[in-house]
Amino acid sequence: CQRTNMPASESWANAAAISGCHMAIAFVGYIFRCVLETQVDREVEHIRRQQEREFILQQQHRQQLEHEQHQERLGRAKQELKQNTRLVQETTVPLMLLHGALQELRNS
């Protein structure tokens, strides 16, 4: 202060003003950091929820595919059962006739 010919009281006032500015800058920085952290937290939460939704949709899609495959297998099994039933019905009467004919041959 002696170099600038500034009175001591003015020097203390300048020091207090500078200190106050530093505190204000630090406070604004703190607020900015808090806002930024809040925004980051919100974005992280948004991404987490989006991933959960995507996972659920993937599970639902997989379950739907499994259900469709099961329905296809069930349809094929029903069709095969119908064919087998038809074959049994078609062959039952001829087999009974053949059996009867064989019985008659044995008895004669």
Side-chain angles (χ1 to χ4, degrees):
C1 290
Q2 292 175 353
R3 286 189 230 150
T4 60
N5 294 327
M6 187 182 301
S9 62
E10 195 174 318
S11 174
W12 281 108
N14 284 343
I18 291 171
S19 178
C21 285
H22 285 164
M23 288 176 61
I25 290 170
F27 181 71
V28 168
Y30 172 77
I31 298 271
F32 179 74
R33 191 181 85 217
C34 290
V35 167
L36 187 61
E37 286 176 356
T38 301
Q39 288 175 339
V40 168
D41 290 345
R42 285 181 184 158
E43 186 63 24
V44 166
E45 182 64 19
H46 173 73
I47 291 170
R48 186 188 64 76
R49 286 184 181 150
Q50 186 175 7
Q51 288 174 340
E52 285 177 355
R53 283 191 299 272
E54 289 173 2
F55 178 75
I56 290 169
L57 287 174
Q58 287 173 353
Q59 280 185 319
Q60 290 172 344
H61 181 68
R62 182 181 48 80
Q63 289 172 348
Q64 179 65 30
L65 287 176
E66 288 174 356
H67 177 72
E68 289 171 3
Q69 290 171 351
H70 176 72
Q71 291 298 324
E72 288 175 10
R73 287 192 301 270
L74 185 60
R76 286 193 300 267
K78 285 180 179 180
Q79 186 64 31
E80 188 176 336
L81 179 61
K82 284 180 185 177
Q83 289 173 350
N84 290 342
T85 301
R86 184 181 47 80
L87 286 173
V88 167
Q89 289 171 347
E90 289 174 357
T91 57
T92 299
V93 172
L95 285 174
M96 289 174 65
L97 292 174
L98 181 60
H99 179 68
L102 287 173
Q103 289 291 42
E104 285 182 26
L105 281 175
R106 277 192 202 150
N107 293 338
S108 56

